[in-house]
Amino acid sequence: MTRILAADRAGIARAAEVLRAGGLVALPTETVYGLAADAGNAAAVARIFEAKGRPAFNPLICHVADRAGAARLAGISPLGDVLIDAFWPGPLTLVLPKRGDAPVANSVTAGLETVALRAPAHPAACALLAAFGGPLAAPSANPSGRISPTTAAHVAADLGDVVDLVLDGGPCPVGLESTIVGIAGARATLLRPGGIVAEAIEAAIGRPLERTGGAIVAPGMLSRHYAPHARLRLEATAPRADETMIGFGNVPGDLSLSPSGDLAEAAANLFTMLRAADAAGKPGIAVAPIPGHGLGRAINDRLRRAAASS
Ligand code: TXA
Ligand code: MG
């Protein structure tokens, strides 16, 4: 049986002990559940890669409490500070030049000269970072390539036998992973759309984000990802006989991401509904069209990866 503890004082204290002993803790964040380990402990970090079946070339995000925690790991340019001031704590990850003396295992960054950092806003994640007192490496708590978890039950079902403790903080309110922005001096590049919409970031920096033009710059952005077992058909307006339909707005379905067409509600429901549609057992899942602006950009990104055949 997986140990699941409520993310209360006792649960947080126990989780910090597990982390100090080199264990793995699944922790709630505002985006998705993360699979956390002490970023400075190479053996603990190795357990993350093993538990997820994650290729060693794919680096992990380090979670820190605040800007001061980030500054111990990376050089932060004035542009980085603008984004930290505007969006931390919250679902924005910054890829920054790694400090030579950063106290993280080399495997966390897969040997890169950069490190991905984020200060999560979820109260349980904040409390655990405070109790632990150092950076936590934490990818999403799913087997590599599969759907990210947004509840403690998802984690227990997927990784229950390999995680030492699951902290249950309820369903994740954002439901999609963080937006990742690469900072190189005065340049800011969108590496992964996510919980903070690109439009808000562009408003904060006063200019458009640079785009990667399809090159894989975040090593984890392989095209097939977030995959359900059923085959996925996008931009569908009605299901075929062998499909479970996920609707949106005025396109109805067996499930609906948001009957009112609200993109934040759709993001929060996306991974749970993909899992539910998969569990319905039909060979196919059809998904209604989702608008391409705001959070729709990240939703469509995840749907396209889930539908990709390789
Ligand atoms: O919301 C989130 O970001 C969640 C929660 C748990 O914080 N975490 C998450 O981690 O989504 P993960 O490992 O599933 O995705 C992290 C992505 C991967 O695509 C990885 O390749 C990229 O971040 N990444 C990490 N370090 C990087 C670096 N130094 N340069 C470029 N990409 C990096
Ligand atoms: Mg992931």
Side-chain angles (χ1 to χ4, degrees):
M1 275 296 286
T2 323
R3 281 200 52 151
I4 304 184
L5 292 181
D8 55 15
R9 278 172 76 105
I12 298 286
R14 179 70 197 123
E17 279 170 24
V18 169
L19 291 167
R20 276 186 214 108
L24 298 185
V25 171
L27 102 142
T29 82
E30 73 278 31
T31 58
V32 300
Y33 276 71
L35 183 63
D38 176 355
N41 180 333
V45 170
R47 289 189 60 205
I48 294 181
F49 283 90
E50 193 187 331
K52 285 183 58 92
R54 182 172 177 116
F57 61 77
N58 189 0
L60 308 178
I61 296 175
C62 281
H63 296 69
V64 294
D66 51 22
R67 187 195 182 282
R72 282 193 277 279
L73 306 187
I76 303 174
S77 65
L79 182 59
D81 275 327
V82 169
L83 291 176
I84 287 173
D85 288 343
F87 299 110
W88 279 14
L92 176 69
T93 295
L94 298 178
V95 173
L96 296 162
K98 183 185 165 185
R99 280 173 60 146
D101 60 352
V104 300
N106 276 326
S107 50
V108 168
T109 56
L112 298 174
E113 304 280 295
T114 53
V115 61
L117 297 176
R118 142 167 145 80
H122 193 290
C126 297
L128 185 56
L129 282 164
F132 179 69
L136 293 175
S140 51
N142 51 289
S144 196
R146 305 234 77 94
I147 302 170
S148 295
T150 54
T151 66
H154 294 162
V155 181
D158 287 354
L159 295 177
D161 44 348
V162 289
V163 50
D164 297 300
L165 176 62
V166 180
L167 274 184
D168 187 350
C172 301
V174 176
L176 288 174
E177 297 85 348
S178 60
T179 303
I180 305 182
V181 172
I183 302 286
R187 302 182 62 177
T189 306
L190 181 66
L191 301 181
R192 176 177 75 180
I196 301 272
V197 303
E199 292 89 334
I201 297 170
E202 293 175 335
I205 64 176
R207 60 197 152 86
L209 283 163
E210 297 185 29
R211 309 287 160 144
T212 62
I216 294 181
V217 277
M221 298 305 277
L222 309 172
S223 61
R224 186 163 171 82
H225 215 94
Y226 309 100
H229 296 282
R231 102 188 102 69
L232 204 62
R233 187 167 64 88
L234 307 183
E235 312 275 332
T237 46
R240 298 175 183 151
D242 64 349
E243 290 175 336
T244 300
M245 178 82 198
I246 299 180
F248 176 82
N250 56 18
V251 177
D254 303 292
L255 304 160
S256 175
L257 290 171
S258 171
S260 68
D262 180 274
L263 288 168
E265 182 184 25
N269 283 331
L270 179 66
F271 291 145
T272 303
M273 288 192 178
L274 279 176
R275 283 170 185 263
D278 219 9
K282 291 191 177 176
I285 300 171
V287 187
I290 309 294
H293 60 84
L295 279 173
R297 196 190 309 260
I299 296 171
N300 282 313
D301 169 78
R302 304 307 187 268
L303 286 172
R304 277 193 297 271
R305 289 176 203 284
S309 54
S310 62

